[in-house]
Amino acid sequence: MLTALVVDESPAARRQVTGLLELTGWLVHEAADAEDAHWLAASTRPDLVVTAATVPGARSGSFLLGELRATGSTARFLMVTPSPTPELRAAATAAGALACLSAPVDVTLLLDLVGRRSTEPAAEAMTDVVDLPDADLDADLMARLREVYADALPTRPDAITAGLRTGDPRAVAHAAQTLAGPSGQLGHPQVADVCQAIAAEARRGIMAHRLVAELAGMAGVDRRSGDRRTARPDAAFSGPDRRLAARRSERAD
């Protein structure tokens, strides 16, 4: 299984990219800062690293990519930023990035770019969005992605319901937000809206059983609905990422 590392201070920005990659079978790890990015890159050896232009604990996202390459990473690199300036693109090029993409990332562009170039040398010259061939944005790819999404959708609520069963609002919010991104981009705005609502409730510590039952119905899953309940106080939503918490617990041991 291909693995990816998504580095961004914003949980929402990370999950937007994570959801797109997980949709097509990638195993994705997330980091909110440079320290955790280095640790995860060393421990998981990802095939792809997607970073923001600005990363806490690093001089820049491109500087982080350069550090990862210097420490032996053979991953393909991508940078994502709301405003790709010539300076950012030049810095990404120097770090060996495959492309510098505008955020939010277009689903067809990201997945086709990664898929078509996954076997090319990591130090390939950066490709700008305007230079990509029309095939990278063709309707056939979107149709294939929608088929993958439709096939995977019935299993996607499982992570959300698992969080409900364990009383973990943080896991519920993460899983719902991850599903919301590709749902919206692949033509399922109602699914995206329900996922956003589930995530918003979970961040308040509320388990939205009714909304999860509604989502299960949309996904074609038979699930008994329940009343909305307040989560356990000891399961409060905190911290940027479960993996980060696990790492810090590991350090404490």
Side-chain angles (χ1 to χ4, degrees):
M1 176 182 289
L2 292 172
T3 60
L5 171 60
V6 177
V7 186
D8 199 304
E9 183 179 13
S10 166
R14 293 198 307 269
R15 289 166 193 162
Q16 196 264 344
V17 177
T18 294
L20 298 179
L21 292 171
E22 287 183 342
L23 177 64
T24 50
W26 287 71
L27 173 63
V28 185
H29 302 278
E30 298 178 7
D33 56 37
E35 182 183 2
D36 286 294
H38 277 289
W39 180 78
L40 284 167
S43 60
T44 67
R45 303 194 64 80
D47 302 288
L48 172 70
V49 176
V50 183
T51 182
T54 302
V55 178
R59 212 179 298 173
S60 65
S62 58
F63 190 80
L64 171 64
L65 293 179
E67 289 183 327
L68 293 178
R69 185 70 79 217
T71 55
S73 174
T74 59
R76 276 63 185 171
F77 291 158
L78 289 174
M79 181 177 289
V80 176
T81 176
S83 303
T85 65
E87 292 77 14
L88 286 175
R89 289 185 171 121
T93 298
L98 184 65
C100 184
L101 305 179
S102 296
V105 180
D106 179 88
V107 58
T108 57
L109 185 58
L110 174 66
L111 296 179
D112 201 29
L113 178 66
V114 171
R116 289 172 184 269
R117 293 163 175 79
S118 61
T119 60
E120 295 180 7
E124 174 193 334
M126 187 177 64
T127 306
D128 198 356
V129 173
V130 296
D131 297 326
L132 290 171
D134 291 340
D136 284 325
L137 299 170
D138 64 16
D140 287 343
L141 174 62
M142 181 59 82
R144 293 197 301 273
L145 291 174
R146 284 176 174 150
E147 289 178 4
V148 171
Y149 175 91
D151 290 340
L153 183 58
T155 64
R156 291 295 168 178
D158 290 351
I160 301 175
T161 55
L164 290 181
R165 286 194 298 270
T166 59
D168 185 351
R170 189 177 172 287
V172 171
H174 178 85
Q177 193 66 52
T178 298
L179 179 56
S183 296
Q185 292 200 48
L186 292 173
H188 297 270
Q190 290 181 320
V191 173
D193 289 346
V194 171
C195 288
Q196 294 280 12
I198 292 170
E201 292 287 74
R203 293 189 187 103
R204 296 171 53 212
I206 296 173
M207 298 303 208
H209 291 263
R210 179 183 59 80
L211 290 174
V212 175
E214 183 179 343
L215 174 63
M218 292 178 175
V221 178
D222 183 17
R223 181 184 180 278
R224 293 176 56 189
S225 64
D227 297 328
R228 184 176 299 181
R229 301 170 187 170
T230 303
R232 298 193 318 259
D234 62 345
F237 184 55
S238 62
D241 193 282
R242 266 180 301 177
R243 300 176 184 90
L244 308 190
R247 179 191 172 183
R248 283 157 190 155
S249 174
E250 179 181 301
R251 284 175 179 167
D253 294 339

